[in-house]
Amino acid sequence: RRPSIFSPQWFHESRTDIMSFPHVPNFIDLETSEQAQELKAHLKSLGAPISEEASDDFFADLKAIVNNVDHCWNANNDNDVEPVLNSIISLLLMLKPADCEQYVTPFCQKLSEPREKESTSRKQIRMKVFNNLFNALNQDSPYCYIVYYHMVKLVANSRDLLAFKFNLDQLKIWLATWKVGSEKSRKLLRAMYDSLMDCSRSELAIKVMVELLSSYTEENASQARDDAHRCIVTSLADPECYLLDHLLSLKPVKFLEGELIHELLTIFVSGSLQDYLNFYTQNKDFIESLGLDHEKNTNKMRLLTFMGMSTDRTEITFDVLEKKLELPTDQVENFIIKAVRTKLVRARIDEIQKSVIVSSSVQRTFGKQQWFQLREKLDQWSKQINRVCENLHSLEIAPV
């Protein structure tokens, strides 16, 4: 006799199949109605208010199974949970595309719902089942969007990003393939942003939000006002985010011109430490309302100001740094060391001259002026190379 679909033996036999093939097979040699019947009986044994009587209506049975799927977590053994969920997946995959949404959506909703004091192994089971369903669907199926969206919600609820391999470039390709439209794409990107923030991955979250804001035009930029606001605050708070000039070109960010948040962003893009300190003096309550840390802002602005000073100078004295960066004398060298570690500035300390020798610095902004400067440097480099080549050529033809 073939083992029950809920037995550890069946679990072991079928597990390799579901993880290896792009389509989930029907796991047992049972008719669809019999499989649904066994699922109903199992869920009822776990406390589900469901009838286990035989029925001729497969769709009604499947609806009852999906509506009570959360009772599978009442099983004492984790090994009894995943086979049940995979069996439900096999039933979902038998549906015609037109019938899928009314069953796939509630199944995904229940699978992604937060559960109190859930073990790590059960969180992993939920993500694995989501992966099974996602990989079993045709790549261009619009229901992939539903599954992926709820996978993202699960990440937010479980605060576990390790089990979810996120790739923004791949997601952009999928969204284009699924053809779900702008609103659904933005809904997914917002959910992804929230999940990444919940998992303390602000650097990735910023990239997702920039992608979201890039989808707006001047005509509908006002609709993303709150998103733009959040993007700015997250970028300012991120200790690794220093280059912010690309945010100013986003249409929803431009819509904020004239507001304090836009003025603050502009200071971090091209202003000085003194500009920020003046802004803070006049708008202390506003900074605090954003949840930003004044001391961290000050430290970031010191580095940004130093970067700006380093772009057009090859040597800066300690006295100038003390004044411009408002640093005590005994903290200047330590500040320079930390700045060099960020790799935004290449420099060395001249102990004798009490100065810093700058080799290069990352540009805080890169506009027309910077392009012209780059062109001039390339022209100079080209002329120097030509002179070297001419000198080498003259040596070759010179008489011995």
Side-chain angles (χ1 to χ4, degrees):
R1 181 176 182 273
R2 187 177 176 84
S4 165
I5 61 172
F6 311 122
S7 69
Q9 182 182 355
W10 179 90
F11 174 77
H12 178 75
E13 290 175 358
S14 64
R15 188 173 184 179
T16 302
D17 291 340
I18 193 169
M19 297 305 293
S20 302
F21 293 95
H23 294 283
V24 180
N26 190 5
F27 302 131
I28 55 177
D29 297 327
L30 287 178
E31 295 292 334
T32 301
S33 58
E34 293 179 276
Q35 189 173 350
Q37 186 64 32
E38 189 164 352
L39 281 167
K40 285 168 58 182
H42 181 72
L43 290 173
K44 185 174 180 64
S45 72
L46 295 174
I50 189 173
S51 172
E52 58 179 316
E53 294 182 5
S55 168
D56 295 329
D57 190 342
F58 167 72
F59 293 102
D61 285 345
L62 182 56
K63 183 177 182 180
I65 290 168
V66 169
N67 288 342
N68 291 278
V69 68
D70 50 329
H71 285 82
C72 73
W73 302 108
N74 294 336
N76 294 323
N77 192 330
D78 286 356
N79 289 343
D80 294 334
V81 178
E82 188 177 347
V84 175
L85 296 171
N86 287 335
S87 184
I88 296 174
I89 288 177
S90 71
L91 295 181
L92 293 174
L93 295 175
M94 295 177 190
L95 297 172
K96 295 179 180 179
D99 298 324
C100 274
E101 185 168 2
Q102 60 180 312
Y103 303 99
V104 172
T105 299
F107 176 76
C108 292
Q109 287 174 341
K110 287 186 174 292
L111 196 59
S112 63
E113 286 175 353
R115 304 185 66 83
E116 293 184 3
K117 300 179 180 179
E118 185 176 47
S119 66
T120 301
S121 62
R122 293 208 164 184
K123 291 177 182 177
Q124 293 172 345
I125 287 173
R126 290 204 282 167
M127 185 56 72
K128 188 185 296 183
V129 171
F130 263 128
N131 275 313
N132 292 342
L133 178 54
F134 184 82
N135 292 323
L137 292 169
N138 291 328
Q139 188 176 5
D140 60 351
S141 170
Y143 303 111
C144 285
Y145 170 87
I146 297 174
V147 178
Y148 193 91
Y149 174 80
H150 286 91
M151 289 172 72
V152 171
K153 298 295 287 185
L154 175 59
V155 171
N157 294 333
S158 62
R159 284 169 169 68
D160 180 13
L161 191 63
L162 295 178
F164 183 77
K165 296 181 179 180
F166 172 68
N167 184 310
L168 181 58
D169 291 332
Q170 180 61 65
L171 177 56
K172 289 160 64 176
I173 295 173
W174 281 337
L175 287 173
T177 302
W178 298 334
K179 299 177 182 179
V180 294
S182 298
E183 287 308 311
K184 283 191 174 181
S185 295
R186 291 165 183 161
K187 180 181 178 181
L188 177 54
L189 290 171
R190 284 192 188 93
M192 193 71 246
Y193 169 85
D194 291 336
S195 295
L196 290 167
M197 290 299 294
D198 288 339
C199 295
S200 301
R201 296 296 300 276
S202 59
E203 183 180 358
L204 269 176
I206 293 168
K207 292 180 179 179
V208 170
M209 185 55 77
V210 168
E211 180 65 26
L212 169 63
L213 296 176
S214 299
S215 69
Y216 287 89
T217 63
E218 290 183 4
E219 288 72 23
N220 59 9
S222 60
Q223 299 174 12
R225 183 186 184 284
D226 292 341
D227 292 323
H229 196 281
R230 288 201 296 169
C231 183
I232 293 172
V233 174
T234 304
S235 300
L236 297 182
D238 189 330
E240 303 299 325
C241 185
Y242 292 99
L243 305 178
L244 304 163
D245 62 320
H246 62 290
L247 298 182
L248 292 176
S249 63
L250 297 170
K251 298 298 190 297
V253 173
K254 285 186 176 181
F255 180 79
L256 298 175
E257 287 182 5
E259 299 186 23
L260 288 176
I261 188 68
H262 192 277
E263 183 181 347
L264 180 61
L265 172 62
T266 303
I267 290 173
F268 274 81
V269 169
S270 57
S272 65
L273 173 62
Q274 192 57 54
D275 293 330
Y276 168 72
L277 294 177
N278 292 339
F279 180 91
Y280 177 75
T281 301
Q282 299 172 12
N283 303 282
K284 181 179 179 180
D285 292 342
F286 175 71
I287 294 290
E288 293 176 351
S289 71
L290 297 177
L292 295 173
D293 186 297
H294 172 59
E295 183 177 353
K296 292 179 180 178
N297 289 347
T298 302
N299 291 334
K300 179 180 279 193
M301 280 305 306
R302 279 200 178 100
L303 178 55
L304 291 171
T305 303
F306 179 51
M307 287 169 58
M309 295 169 63
S310 302
T311 55
D312 55 2
R313 307 186 196 188
T314 57
E315 184 175 3
I316 308 172
T317 64
F318 284 6
D319 290 341
V320 171
L321 290 178
E322 288 175 26
K323 182 179 179 180
K324 293 289 185 181
L325 306 183
E326 299 194 9
L327 283 169
T329 304
D330 59 350
Q331 292 184 17
V332 173
E333 290 191 16
N334 188 46
F335 167 80
I336 296 170
I337 292 171
K338 289 181 178 179
V340 171
R341 285 175 180 171
T342 66
K343 298 182 179 181
L344 296 170
V345 178
R346 294 179 61 188
R348 62 182 177 83
I349 296 173
D350 187 331
E351 293 279 4
I352 298 176
Q353 299 297 326
K354 293 295 179 180
S355 65
V356 55
I357 309 301
V358 179
S359 301
S360 63
S361 175
V362 174
Q363 293 278 356
R364 291 175 62 184
T365 60
F366 209 93
K368 288 184 178 180
Q369 181 181 353
Q370 285 71 37
W371 281 113
F372 283 127
Q373 290 174 350
L374 178 60
R375 180 179 178 178
E376 290 177 0
K377 289 181 179 180
L378 288 174
D379 285 341
Q380 292 174 4
W381 173 81
S382 178
K383 292 176 181 178
Q384 290 171 356
I385 293 296
N386 287 334
R387 281 197 291 269
V388 170
C389 290
E390 290 173 358
N391 291 336
L392 290 174
H393 182 68
S394 63
L395 290 174
E396 289 178 355
I397 62 176
V400 179

